[in-house]
Amino acid sequence: ASSGGVQLVSVKSIALHNITIASRGRQVTISADSSLSSTHLNLDTFTATSGATSMTASGLVQLEPRLDAQLKVLANQIDVDDLVALADAFSPRAAATRAGQPPAAAGSLQLPGRIVARISAEKGRASGVDVQQFAATLVAQGNRITLSPVSFQLFDGTYHGTIDIDARATDL
């Protein structure tokens, strides 16, 4: 049975240029060129600049049954605090429930969307410390932002590990 509504099947070009948003007390300026095909957003170019960080991304965003983005990000320099602010600004959150309502029935609970970004930068800064050869896979889902694996060079050595952030915290 048809609902009689209009269904959007595709959009040849979607462009946003020099949009400034605020996240975690930081200004983030974004631009994007993309297209829509059914439930897929093809992100041809996405640029974001915040503080010392300037990055370019491309990839695919699946819009249904939940938002699931797979991105490749390149940057000359990344400040991890700027990266967290950007990830937090675009992290899909779980649907809020009203107070006093019973939890959703098993099987109908919707998971929050997810952003997965493979990031690389020649230079970076983490907690005020300069690093080189920054590489990470960022996963932002709900209130969690995880960099795993993450690696970078510092103090004549290399760090390999995981950084896990609770985005609800205000003092990141």
Side-chain angles (χ1 to χ4, degrees):
S2 174
S3 65
V6 175
Q7 181 178 7
L8 184 62
V9 177
S10 69
V11 177
K12 186 175 180 178
S13 178
I14 303 169
L16 302 170
H17 294 282
N18 296 317
I19 308 294
T20 301
I21 60 174
S23 177
R24 298 203 161 272
R26 294 174 184 266
Q27 298 283 336
V28 181
T29 301
I30 61 169
S31 293
D33 291 301
S34 60
S35 62
L36 179 71
S37 178
S38 184
T39 61
H40 298 89
L41 180 68
N42 300 306
L43 197 55
D44 298 319
T45 306
F46 176 88
T47 59
T49 304
S50 178
T53 299
S54 181
M55 62 182 75
T56 301
S58 62
L60 181 67
V61 181
Q62 178 74 30
L63 302 174
E64 289 183 7
R66 66 179 180 145
L67 188 135
D68 191 8
Q70 299 287 325
L71 306 174
K72 181 178 179 183
V73 181
L74 299 174
N76 287 334
Q77 179 173 332
I78 285 187
D79 183 299
V80 174
D81 293 331
D82 292 336
L83 182 63
V84 168
L86 181 63
D88 191 47
F90 289 96
S91 293
R93 303 288 190 238
T97 59
R98 292 184 191 163
Q101 285 188 334
S108 67
L109 181 62
Q110 265 196 337
L111 292 174
R114 176 179 71 149
I115 297 172
V116 177
R118 284 160 185 69
I119 303 165
S120 61
E122 289 296 316
K123 296 188 283 184
R125 190 166 187 83
S127 297
V129 177
D130 290 329
V131 300
Q132 284 73 44
Q133 302 300 313
F134 181 91
T137 298
L138 177 143
V139 178
Q141 186 170 20
N143 293 317
R144 309 269 352 142
I145 300 170
T146 304
L147 299 170
S148 182
V150 62
S151 66
F152 47 84
Q153 296 175 354
L154 77 158
F155 306 128
D156 294 326
T158 303
Y159 171 83
H160 295 283
T162 297
I163 299 172
D164 189 33
I165 299 163
D166 182 347
R168 292 175 295 192
T170 58
D171 58 346
L172 295 178

